[in-house]
Amino acid sequence: MTDELLFEQSRRGEDAAFRSLYEKYRDPLFRFAWRMTGSVETAEDLTHDCFVSLFRGSFDPKRGALRTFLYASIRNLSRKQWRDAGAEELTDEADLSEAASDGPLDLLISCETADAVRIAVAALPGLQREVIILFEYEDLSLDEIARITGVETGAVKSRLHRARKTLRKTLAPAKVSK
Amino acid sequence: MMERDHELNKVLRTWAAPETGKGLDARVWKSYRQSKPARSGNARWWMAAAAAVVLVVSAAHFRPPVQAPVRLASSTNVHGYRPLPNGTITVVKGKRQ
């Protein structure tokens, strides 16, 4: 059964249909929000708000797929949370003033690999970070990421390429040690 | 189509996400149920009201017309009629004119 059909059933009050959608998308949406915000509590709040917007009728099947709507919704909620917290808007440019003074080897010496990855991904510019998360962790296609982020596929490809280049350089010692 | 970098992806996947807490499920279901009764309750009320209106209109429209009581015309005047006692029948022949 398609997501859109389940959505229509849940709108008519069928609990089982809403449960199916919730169980399918809860973890992926939470993971994305957690990797973007770094906080379990915030990620759970954003996931809750995302589903509330769904069953309160914000989704229009004529405008696109349900999956795209959910990811775009939680992306927008994450950005709003960032703005409300006083953080910078998502950009595609590296902030040189915050460049890590430690080189890749220092990172590996001081951190476990998972921590090194967390720090490296968090250090990416916001627009590159969301693309790398959606592509590498959620296995979405470039076209779908383009629809979620509201840009051309070429822009997504460019951001992904730059993000990967930075991560390969930052995490090179982790890859060699494996 | 962008190729997958499996080596990089393998390293990236070492950063695993935690599980969601049970609290999240309870919150979402609570919000879902709070929004649900208002939607389905209103819908049922409106449907019942609409059905009642349809029934009333149908009943008024298809009611058979009330017929006026039928009056039979009669030329017989029974004023002063008294039945004969014991049912005796007497034939009175009138004079011919």
Side-chain angles (χ1 to χ4, degrees):
Chain A
M1 196 172 289
T2 64
D3 289 347
E4 288 70 29
L5 200 55
L6 284 170
F7 172 74
E8 286 302 321
Q9 288 179 345
S10 72
R11 278 186 71 180
R12 292 198 296 266
E14 296 185 29
D15 288 357
F18 178 73
R19 183 181 294 278
S20 293
L21 288 176
Y22 177 66
E23 288 176 354
K24 182 176 179 181
Y25 287 110
R26 177 196 59 196
D27 290 349
L29 295 175
F30 169 78
R31 286 195 303 260
F32 174 78
W34 178 74
R35 287 195 168 100
M36 286 298 292
T37 63
S39 161
V40 169
E41 190 181 338
T42 303
E44 288 190 349
D45 288 344
L46 298 181
T47 305
H48 167 269
D49 293 349
C50 186
F51 280 103
V52 166
S53 74
L54 175 66
F55 58 69
R56 285 189 182 162
S58 297
F59 171 61
D60 181 0
K62 293 173 196 161
R63 294 179 65 182
L66 180 66
R67 184 161 92 158
T68 304
F69 167 82
L70 288 172
Y71 273 109
S73 179
I74 201 155
R75 174 188 182 257
N76 291 336
L77 288 167
S78 300
R79 294 180 73 175
K80 182 178 182 302
Q81 190 272 333
W82 271 70
R83 284 197 299 270
D84 291 346
E88 82 286 1
E89 273 289 349
L90 293 185
T91 66
D92 194 14
E93 299 297 324
D95 186 349
L96 298 177
S97 65
E98 292 183 3
S101 56
D102 293 342
L105 191 55
D106 295 324
L107 263 179
L108 187 59
I109 291 169
S110 63
C111 306
E112 297 288 337
T113 305
D115 278 339
V117 171
R118 176 180 59 78
I119 293 167
V121 172
L124 290 171
L127 294 177
Q128 291 181 26
R129 183 165 65 245
E130 65 181 11
V131 167
I132 207 82
I133 291 171
L134 291 170
F135 189 81
E136 297 289 354
Y137 289 99
E138 302 305 325
D139 296 323
L140 300 186
S141 68
L142 294 179
D143 288 339
E144 190 157 16
I145 296 171
R147 286 193 290 273
I148 290 166
T149 55
V151 297
E152 296 291 326
T153 306
V156 172
K157 205 169 175 180
S158 171
R159 290 172 190 174
L160 183 63
H161 173 75
R162 288 202 290 276
R164 277 172 157 182
K165 191 176 169 186
T166 303
L167 289 173
R168 282 190 199 109
K169 186 179 168 189
T170 309
L171 298 172
K175 287 160 67 179
V176 166
S177 68
K178 283 195 170 293
Chain B
M1 192 166 161
M2 200 88 172
E3 283 183 9
R4 295 273 172 188
D5 184 338
H6 297 288
E7 209 177 323
L8 175 63
N9 188 267
K10 198 173 165 188
V11 174
L12 291 177
R13 296 259 173 190
T14 58
W15 180 38
E19 306 244 327
T20 58
K22 287 202 168 100
L24 172 61
D25 293 352
R27 281 174 60 195
V28 170
W29 278 104
K30 184 180 175 187
S31 297
Y32 172 73
R33 291 213 159 92
Q34 280 174 347
S35 73
K36 197 180 161 207
R39 286 187 285 118
S40 60
N42 275 343
R44 285 198 212 109
W45 190 90
W46 280 110
M47 282 173 64
V53 167
V54 167
L55 279 172
V56 167
V57 169
S58 301
H61 183 71
F62 291 110
R63 188 174 54 192
V66 177
Q67 291 184 347
V70 175
R71 289 183 183 278
L72 294 174
S74 174
S75 59
T76 304
N77 187 350
V78 295
H79 176 71
Y81 167 74
R82 285 178 299 167
L84 290 171
N86 301 323
T88 306
I89 298 174
T90 305
V91 176
V92 178
K93 290 185 180 176
K95 291 183 182 174
R96 288 189 181 179
Q97 293 182 353

